[in-house]
Amino acid sequence: MYPHLKSPKDTISLISTIAVTLLICLNSSIDGRSSHPYAPQLASAQAQTTQERKAEALRLNHTGIQQFNTTKFREALQTFEQTLEIFKGIGDRQGEGATLNNIGAVYDNLGRYADALKSYEQALVIFKQISDKAGEWSTLNNIGGVYNKLGQYTDALKSYEQALVIAKQISDKKGEGTALNHIGGVYDNLGRYADALKSCEQALVIFKQIGNQAGQGNALNNIGLVNNKLGQYADALKSYKQALVIFKQIGDKQGQGAVLDNIGQVYDNLGQYAQALKFHEQALVIVQQIGDKAGEWTTLNNIGEVYRKLGQYAQALKFHEQALVIHKQLGNKAGKGTTLHNMGAVYDSLGQYADALKSYEQALVIRQQVADKEGEGTTLNNLGTVYNKLGLYPDAEKALFAAMEVRESLRPRLTDTAKVSVFETQANSYRLLQQSLVAQNKINTALEVAERGRARAFVELLASRQSSKSNDRSRDAITLVSSKPPTIQQIQQIAKEQNSTLVQYSIVYDALKNQGKEEWRQSELYIWVIKPTGEVAFKKVDLKSLKTSLKDLVTNSRDSIGVRGRGGIGVSLVDKVDQKQRLQQLHQLLIQPIAEFLPKDPSDRVIFIPQESLFLVPFAALKDANGKYLIEKHTILTAPAMQVLELTRQQRQKVSGTDVLVVGNPTMPRIIPKTGEPPQQLSSLPGAEAEAKAIAQLLNTKPIIGNAATKAAILPQMSKAKIIHLATHGLLDDFKGLSVPGAIALAPAGTDDGLLTSAEIFDLKLNAELAVLSACDTGRGKITGDGVIGLSRSLISAGVPSVIVSLWSVPDSPTAALMTEFYRQMQQNSDKATALRQAMLTTMKQHPDPKNWAAFTLIGEAQ
């Protein structure tokens, strides 16, 4: 990835201003003498000589600046050295300091960092002696830039922070924005992503206020860098493309090269390698044209990485070796670590594991020395990968635990969304570590890692919200304790407190070659069963023998059910033979290996903790070899992580709602089904209306239906309700491009479109013990390593410990019957999981097809 931008024009701009100002003053006095030929000659001959020499120095300085700005760095160095001699000779301390700063800038751009620091430090001494705050700011900023390039991030941060203080003292808004932008760049290098975004966004605001385009481009580039590391690729591309437009407008070639290379890096991360090469090669042409060696080094490295992923290993090594040659010219320590790491990855892909280990170990030493936390975590992860391949499992365990610790240190203080995104880039460490532990028969430790590697952002969010009523200090302490990954003893305690059998799934991947390219493919399924007694059982299931991926198998099984929309949307035909085979195949993979460990009493609860595509499995409908559905044998719940169960149990103890809110068949809003299509009104749901009326009668309340069911009417009641039941249409993100997937259809009113989105629910403070979304697809959303990001997550985050949602588009009439029966059972038995099971069994008798009764799942608490 391209280093954070610091344009040579920015480096020298302040000194240029000083020089030009001095030149204007001098020219004024010369013009004054010629305009008044009879004016008294007050200056001595010596003064005239000094003045003439200063004029010559300023003209040379101006020439040097022009040479510098056109990247003629060696010519500029000679010119500035002549300028320096003159300023020294006439005792002009300000001119001497300014020129030393300019010389430092030239050395900086030539990659002669030791010489650059020497010149900058000499300039800094002078500016402090003469109390030149502007010169001091400029020099500190430049010193920070050199330390940043050298990977000495602590020193860089110190210099930039000193520069920021001075900029504020002298009310230099451009200087303030520049320092903030560079501070953001250092935070990014240190893995402090939340701080990085904050600083760069502050810089962007300042640059927009003062109309500084170059500053805006640099800040946008840095924001893109952070988002790319967080795995938020769409946001990264958006920022990069805005920066590219600006750099083209102002003719900043270095900026264009940097941003083009960074865009290529995003496409690389997205696996779009042809696009990645296209942008990297455009960047390489530019940086070579302008002599930007640091940019050339970065771009060569990135091109090498793309070729490695394409399986063209000779080409990859060629580009990395070229980058290494340039590194030797630049003396960039952090850069050497990056190149060595990338070469290790090539050797790894070639199966040359001894060379790979050597390169990775050399890279690791450097990355630890320069405090490159992100790089350190990646290199440790890759070391663990090689050790795993060699069967050196204790070494793999050590490296991967270290990688996990380093990577987790990068996540605190991020937003919830950023935590979810960045975990997607780090999940492989957890999977690899589980492999190495299972290979050593460390089953319980592997379970701890499996739990540690899921729903971490969700756990931290719930813990934070539950402690939000405490003071700041105790809240942080409570959050830290309650969100700490559980030990095996704590996992066993969760099973005991839930009085349930917990079943945790973990999908493991292997690196395989496909047409020369290395790809990660599902290899095994790990399944842990934790009984309420604390007994832990473990099984492995081979996935390599499957003719399709686990994800495709789940999708095909759902398709075989032939689900349709509530109100008759999307009817599909069902092949009963195919349906039975699909559901039995899933049962054979997911349930049969652990069947002996599951409870024999159907009333005993089983809580499934899925992963990835398994979140979409209709567990209730899985069929054994005898044709019996799983719901007939067990009482079923699901959860995104075992630790989430611990936190929802705490939520359950704090609920304070008293009312009952029942909504059914609102007057439907209009939505745009696909981009470019006209809006269409969602179909009315008479079954949902009948459902709401029947449930309201059971619960002794009045349903809200039709035009009355607006957001303005519903939201205040949601916060007071003990039970929330919404019988309406549920929408996925493809209806509205929602940033947090999922929405519930309510009645539109005025400017309100009638859609209650996941994001809006996320921000609520609810006190209900149960929320039922009797609608289509309310259990779906964006599947991540943190679980399903959608309506269910938003409701639990808002304070609801038990949520019932659907896994597909549910049919109207059977759903009404199932939901009415659920509340009838609830009145007889407060256990929600038992009530849902009984409702399914009852509905099954009248509507035997699984599409009619198996869509709903209870997430969270049974009580």
Side-chain angles (χ1 to χ4, degrees):
M1 188 179 297
Y2 209 93
H4 297 273
L5 284 175
K6 188 171 85 169
S7 167
K9 295 178 183 178
D10 277 352
T11 306
I12 206 166
S13 60
L14 180 62
I15 306 307
S16 305
T17 303
I18 295 170
V20 170
T21 302
L22 290 171
L23 187 60
I24 290 171
C25 293
L26 183 56
N27 285 342
S28 295
S29 88
I30 292 171
D31 290 344
R33 287 199 305 274
S34 61
S35 300
H36 303 277
Y38 302 110
Q41 301 297 310
L42 300 178
S44 65
Q46 184 179 0
Q48 288 177 351
T49 302
T50 299
Q51 214 166 36
E52 288 167 358
R53 293 186 70 192
K54 176 178 279 192
E56 176 62 18
L58 291 171
R59 290 189 186 96
L60 282 170
N61 187 67
H62 186 68
T63 300
I65 290 167
Q66 289 178 323
Q67 292 167 334
F68 183 95
N69 286 338
T70 55
T71 68
K72 296 177 181 177
F73 297 128
R74 286 173 178 79
E75 293 92 331
L77 182 60
Q78 293 178 353
T79 303
F80 286 140
E81 285 172 343
Q82 293 175 37
T83 306
L84 180 62
E85 289 302 314
I86 295 174
F87 278 130
K88 283 183 177 179
I90 62 176
D92 187 330
R93 298 287 282 166
Q94 186 181 50
E96 185 181 346
T99 307
L100 281 166
N101 207 357
N102 289 356
I103 289 171
V106 176
Y107 282 135
D108 188 348
N109 281 271
L110 287 171
R112 293 169 59 177
Y113 299 128
D115 292 329
L117 280 176
K118 182 179 178 181
S119 293
Y120 285 146
E121 286 162 358
Q122 290 173 352
L124 186 61
V125 169
I126 291 172
F127 286 133
K128 285 182 177 179
Q129 289 173 345
I130 64 175
S131 300
D132 183 346
K133 289 294 184 181
E136 193 177 340
W137 170 88
S138 176
T139 309
L140 283 166
N141 187 65
N142 292 342
I143 289 171
V146 176
Y147 281 131
N148 197 37
K149 289 178 182 177
L150 289 171
Q152 298 178 26
Y153 301 128
T154 303
D155 292 327
L157 190 60
K158 181 179 177 182
S159 293
Y160 285 142
E161 287 173 342
Q162 291 175 4
L164 179 62
V165 170
I166 290 172
K168 289 180 177 179
Q169 288 175 349
I170 61 177
S171 300
D172 178 4
K173 298 301 286 185
K174 180 186 175 184
E176 185 179 345
T178 300
L180 281 167
N181 196 36
H182 291 154
I183 286 170
V186 179
Y187 281 141
D188 184 20
N189 289 330
L190 288 169
R192 294 171 57 177
Y193 301 130
D195 293 327
L197 282 175
K198 181 179 178 181
S199 291
C200 294
E201 287 165 353
Q202 287 175 346
L204 183 60
V205 169
I206 290 172
F207 287 133
K208 284 182 176 179
Q209 288 173 347
I210 63 175
N212 186 304
Q213 284 189 293
Q216 291 176 52
N218 289 341
L220 285 164
N221 179 71
N222 282 4
I223 290 168
L225 285 168
V226 181
N227 281 322
N228 190 35
K229 287 184 179 179
L230 289 172
Q232 297 177 345
Y233 301 127
D235 291 335
L237 279 176
K238 181 180 177 183
S239 293
Y240 286 148
K241 288 177 179 178
Q242 289 174 353
L244 185 60
V245 169
I246 291 172
F247 287 136
K248 285 181 177 179
Q249 287 174 347
I250 64 177
D252 185 341
K253 287 288 188 181
Q254 187 184 42
Q256 290 175 50
V259 175
L260 285 167
D261 194 58
N262 289 344
I263 291 172
Q265 186 74 10
V266 176
Y267 284 120
D268 182 356
N269 290 334
L270 290 169
Q272 299 178 29
Y273 300 130
Q275 278 288 87
L277 277 178
K278 174 185 171 184
F279 282 96
H280 287 322
E281 287 166 354
Q282 288 177 16
L284 187 61
V285 170
I286 292 174
V287 295
Q288 288 178 335
Q289 283 176 348
I290 65 175
D292 179 1
K293 286 296 182 182
E296 185 178 357
W297 165 83
T298 303
T299 307
L300 288 168
N301 254 324
N302 289 341
I303 291 173
E305 267 292 273
V306 177
Y307 278 122
R308 179 186 70 82
K309 293 174 182 178
L310 288 170
Q312 299 180 34
Y313 302 125
Q315 278 288 86
L317 281 175
K318 174 184 172 183
F319 280 96
H320 289 319
E321 286 164 356
Q322 290 176 17
L324 205 55
V325 169
I326 293 176
H327 153 73
K328 291 177 181 177
Q329 299 171 2
L330 297 177
N332 183 342
K333 198 170 187 179
K336 183 178 181 181
T338 299
T339 304
L340 285 168
H341 173 91
N342 290 346
M343 293 177 76
V346 178
Y347 291 132
D348 183 358
S349 298
L350 285 167
Q352 299 176 16
Y353 299 130
D355 292 329
L357 287 175
K358 181 180 178 182
S359 291
Y360 283 144
E361 286 163 355
Q362 290 174 342
L364 181 61
V365 170
I366 293 171
R367 287 179 156 181
Q368 288 173 335
Q369 287 174 345
V370 302
D372 178 3
K373 286 295 184 182
E374 184 203 20
E376 182 185 352
T378 303
T379 301
L380 283 165
N381 179 79
N382 288 14
L383 274 170
T385 304
V386 176
Y387 285 133
N388 255 353
K389 290 176 181 178
L390 290 170
L392 301 173
Y393 299 118
D395 293 321
E397 177 186 346
K398 180 180 178 182
L400 291 166
F401 261 120
M404 198 166 62
E405 294 286 349
V406 170
R407 288 176 156 187
E408 287 178 355
S409 73
L410 303 179
R411 297 207 294 263
R413 302 174 69 184
L414 291 176
T415 64
D416 177 62
T417 302
K419 285 179 181 178
V420 172
S421 296
V422 78
F423 180 80
E424 296 299 283
T425 70
Q426 302 171 351
N428 201 35
S429 293
Y430 297 87
R431 293 194 290 256
L432 290 167
L433 182 51
Q434 289 171 60
Q435 280 182 299
S436 64
L437 290 166
V438 169
Q440 299 174 76
N441 202 33
K442 296 182 177 181
I443 303 304
N444 288 352
T445 309
L447 173 58
E448 291 175 345
V449 172
E451 174 67 12
R452 185 171 175 174
R454 68 186 69 210
R456 298 314 309 158
F458 195 11
V459 166
E460 290 167 10
L461 176 67
L462 291 177
S464 175
R465 290 194 169 189
Q466 286 186 17
S467 59
S468 61
K469 294 181 181 179
S470 308
N471 62 58
D472 289 341
R473 183 172 297 179
S474 63
R475 178 170 70 244
D476 292 341
I478 293 169
T479 300
L480 181 64
V481 171
S482 56
S483 63
K484 187 176 180 180
T487 63
I488 185 63
Q489 292 79 17
Q490 290 168 324
I491 288 171
Q492 292 167 321
Q493 182 65 23
I494 291 171
K496 180 180 178 181
E497 290 171 347
Q498 292 287 328
N499 192 25
S500 304
T501 298
L502 309 181
V503 178
Q504 176 130 303
Y505 294 99
S506 188
I507 302 169
V508 177
Y509 292 76
D510 279 343
L512 300 173
K513 292 288 179 62
N514 180 24
Q515 298 179 346
K517 293 186 288 185
E518 190 172 82
E519 296 180 352
W520 290 94
R521 292 185 183 176
Q522 295 170 352
S523 61
E524 288 183 305
L525 179 66
Y526 293 166
I527 314 176
W528 288 269
V529 180
I530 306 94
K531 296 184 179 182
T533 59
E535 179 185 348
V536 178
F538 173 75
K539 287 290 183 179
K540 289 193 296 184
V541 178
D542 178 37
L543 298 178
K544 294 188 289 291
S545 59
L546 289 177
K547 294 181 180 179
T548 184
S549 69
L550 192 57
K551 179 180 179 181
D552 288 343
L553 179 58
V554 172
T555 301
N556 292 338
S557 299
R558 289 167 53 85
D559 289 344
S560 73
I561 293 175
V563 296
R564 64 191 177 98
R566 185 155 195 169
I569 302 172
V571 177
S572 59
L573 297 176
V574 178
D575 183 333
K576 294 295 184 182
V577 175
D578 181 58
Q579 179 190 103
K580 180 179 178 181
Q581 290 176 344
R582 299 286 187 185
L583 294 175
Q584 285 182 330
Q585 188 178 10
L586 267 184
H587 185 281
Q588 187 176 357
L589 279 173
L590 303 179
I591 306 301
Q592 189 57 42
I594 58 168
E596 62 182 299
F597 308 118
L598 298 180
K600 306 306 177 188
D601 186 342
S603 65
D604 289 345
R605 295 191 292 265
V606 179
I607 305 178
F608 291 104
I609 296 96
Q611 190 181 42
E612 297 180 6
S613 58
L614 300 184
F615 277 105
L616 297 180
V617 170
F619 282 97
L622 300 187
K623 268 187 176 180
D624 65 15
N626 298 319
K628 201 166 188 179
Y629 290 114
L630 195 62
I631 195 64
E632 296 180 83
K633 301 166 72 173
H634 302 292
T635 301
I636 296 171
L637 299 89
T638 60
M642 289 183 284
Q643 199 169 6
V644 169
L645 292 168
E646 181 183 24
L647 292 164
T648 54
R649 185 179 64 84
Q650 294 172 16
Q651 280 183 330
R652 176 67 180 87
Q653 296 167 353
K654 298 177 182 177
V655 296
S656 57
T658 56
D659 300 340
V660 175
L661 172 63
V662 180
V663 176
N665 193 25
T667 299
M668 292 300 168
R670 298 171 66 84
I671 63 158
I672 299 174
K674 292 181 181 178
T675 303
E677 293 185 2
Q680 296 179 19
Q681 186 174 20
L682 292 170
S683 60
S684 178
L685 298 173
E689 186 169 333
E691 170 188 326
K693 290 177 178 177
I695 291 169
Q697 186 175 3
L698 281 172
L699 300 180
N700 196 29
T701 190
K702 184 178 180 180
I704 303 176
I705 59 177
N707 288 329
T710 64
K711 267 200 285 189
I714 301 303
L715 287 178
Q717 296 194 47
M718 286 181 71
S719 63
K720 298 183 292 183
K722 180 181 181 181
I723 293 175
I724 299 169
H725 184 94
L726 306 176
T728 179
H729 279 293
L731 309 175
L732 287 176
D733 55 333
D734 54 355
F735 280 90
K736 200 184 177 187
L738 302 170
S739 57
V740 181
I744 289 293
L746 296 175
T751 58
D752 178 21
D753 61 8
L755 295 180
L756 177 59
T757 68
S758 295
E760 290 171 317
I761 294 172
F762 184 87
D763 291 330
L764 298 177
K765 291 184 179 180
L766 301 179
N767 297 291
E769 68 173 62
L770 171 68
V772 179
L773 301 185
S774 181
C776 306
D777 294 305
T778 52
R780 296 178 64 190
K782 181 181 178 182
I783 297 177
T784 71
D786 212 67
V788 179
I789 309 299
L791 287 162
S792 60
R793 189 178 193 268
S794 292
L795 280 164
I796 295 173
S797 299
V800 184
S802 303
V803 177
I804 293 179
V805 291
S806 62
L807 296 175
W808 56 71
S809 299
V810 294
D812 196 28
S813 178
T815 297
L818 185 145
M819 284 298 166
T820 304
E821 181 62 25
F822 167 71
Y823 285 103
R824 187 176 290 113
Q825 292 289 337
M826 275 270 290
Q827 289 183 322
Q828 300 172 21
N829 188 336
S830 62
D831 187 299
K832 303 174 183 68
T834 299
L836 182 59
R837 176 176 181 267
Q838 292 299 327
M840 285 183 173
L841 295 176
T842 301
T843 307
M844 188 191 302
K845 294 174 183 177
Q846 189 174 358
H847 304 280
D849 200 300
K851 68 184 180 187
N852 295 319
W853 54 264
F856 289 96
T857 184
L858 173 59
I859 303 173
E861 292 302 290
Q863 296 295 331

